[in-house]
Amino acid sequence: MVLLQYPKAVVFDLDYTLWPLWCDTHIYMPISALSRNELVDSNGMKISFYKDVESIILELVENEVVLIAASRTATPKIAQELLSLLHIGGKPAITYFHSLQWGQGSKVKHISKAAEDLRLQSALQEGHFMLFDDESRNRDVGSINCHFAYVYDENQGLTRSIFISELKKWSKSLNTR
Ligand SMILES: [Mg+2]
């Protein structure tokens, strides 16, 4: 068995990476909880994480990886509410994130800001950051040494197979520097 190596920090996009919707256009407030894993908006739309998200986040937490959320959403309050109402390992998902970065513009900005706030600038410089994101344009985070992990299928979002294959790609590129 090959032991996986983990980066110091993993950054997650939200819409179409952790859940199958856009916070700013698909959700009608108020939202209420049907259970710890499922919410419903005022239009009757059900909301939950993609199925592999919970185990991936718990695995990273267990391995002491710092978690960051970075979203270009125009409605951070809605995103924040989803993260507060949806649970992971019995706790509100939001409690696992060390930094939440919102707003328009490049994720280079979001990630640099998070690294600064968390005093992880050298980890970033040394290639110990990874971003999971469904939008190819966010590949530009490579310019600040953050590994870009493409979440290519919006029907499935972040899957265990993408997670493992990107971890392997990242650790290979780190070790061949
Ligand atoms: Mg997205």
Side-chain angles (χ1 to χ4, degrees):
M1 196 181 112
V2 183
L3 276 180
L4 281 174
Q5 189 187 3
Y6 298 91
K8 293 212 170 73
V10 169
V11 186
F12 291 106
D13 166 56
L14 299 174
D15 299 348
Y16 290 101
T17 294
L18 297 189
W19 49 55
L21 54 95
W22 273 308
C23 282
D24 39 11
T25 53
H26 292 154
I27 293 190
Y28 294 87
M29 298 296 271
I31 307 166
S32 47
L34 295 173
S35 70
R36 294 186 148 218
N37 306 311
E38 193 175 41
L39 317 176
V40 64
D41 80 349
S42 67
N43 236 0
M45 187 181 70
K46 305 259 178 80
I47 305 157
S48 53
F49 287 125
Y50 287 113
K51 73 171 174 43
D52 292 346
V53 167
E54 178 165 28
S55 75
I56 290 170
I57 289 189
L58 290 175
E59 178 175 336
L60 292 171
V61 168
E62 210 167 279
N63 287 282
E64 295 176 358
V65 177
V66 171
L67 303 186
I68 297 160
S71 172
R72 295 183 189 232
T73 185
T75 52
K77 282 212 172 115
I78 295 182
Q80 214 156 339
E81 188 157 351
L82 296 191
L83 286 176
S84 306
L85 292 173
L86 289 171
H87 285 62
I88 284 180
K91 294 200 297 188
I94 201 164
T95 57
Y96 295 99
F97 289 92
H98 294 77
S99 173
L100 302 168
Q101 298 293 329
W102 319 106
Q104 302 297 308
S106 170
K107 296 223 171 157
V108 167
K109 199 177 70 184
H110 296 90
I111 292 172
S112 306
K113 176 76 172 36
E116 194 185 312
D117 292 352
L118 300 169
R119 299 179 178 270
L120 287 173
Q121 291 109 320
S122 42
L124 178 57
Q125 276 161 17
E126 288 156 13
H128 266 278
F129 269 61
M130 195 164 175
L131 167 68
F132 286 93
D133 201 305
D134 69 302
E135 287 190 62
S136 190
R137 64 176 173 168
N138 294 321
R139 234 173 247 291
D140 63 350
V141 299
S143 67
I144 50 165
N145 239 352
C146 174
H147 176 85
F148 180 75
Y150 187 39
V151 176
Y152 49 81
D153 178 355
E154 66 173 41
N155 294 313
Q156 301 197 65
L158 174 63
T159 60
R160 178 147 289 275
S161 112
I162 294 177
F163 176 64
I164 301 295
S165 86
E166 291 294 341
L167 273 182
K168 287 182 181 162
K169 269 193 239 172
W170 163 78
S171 85
K172 200 171 162 192
S173 73
L174 192 76
N175 295 327
T176 51
R177 273 173 187 221

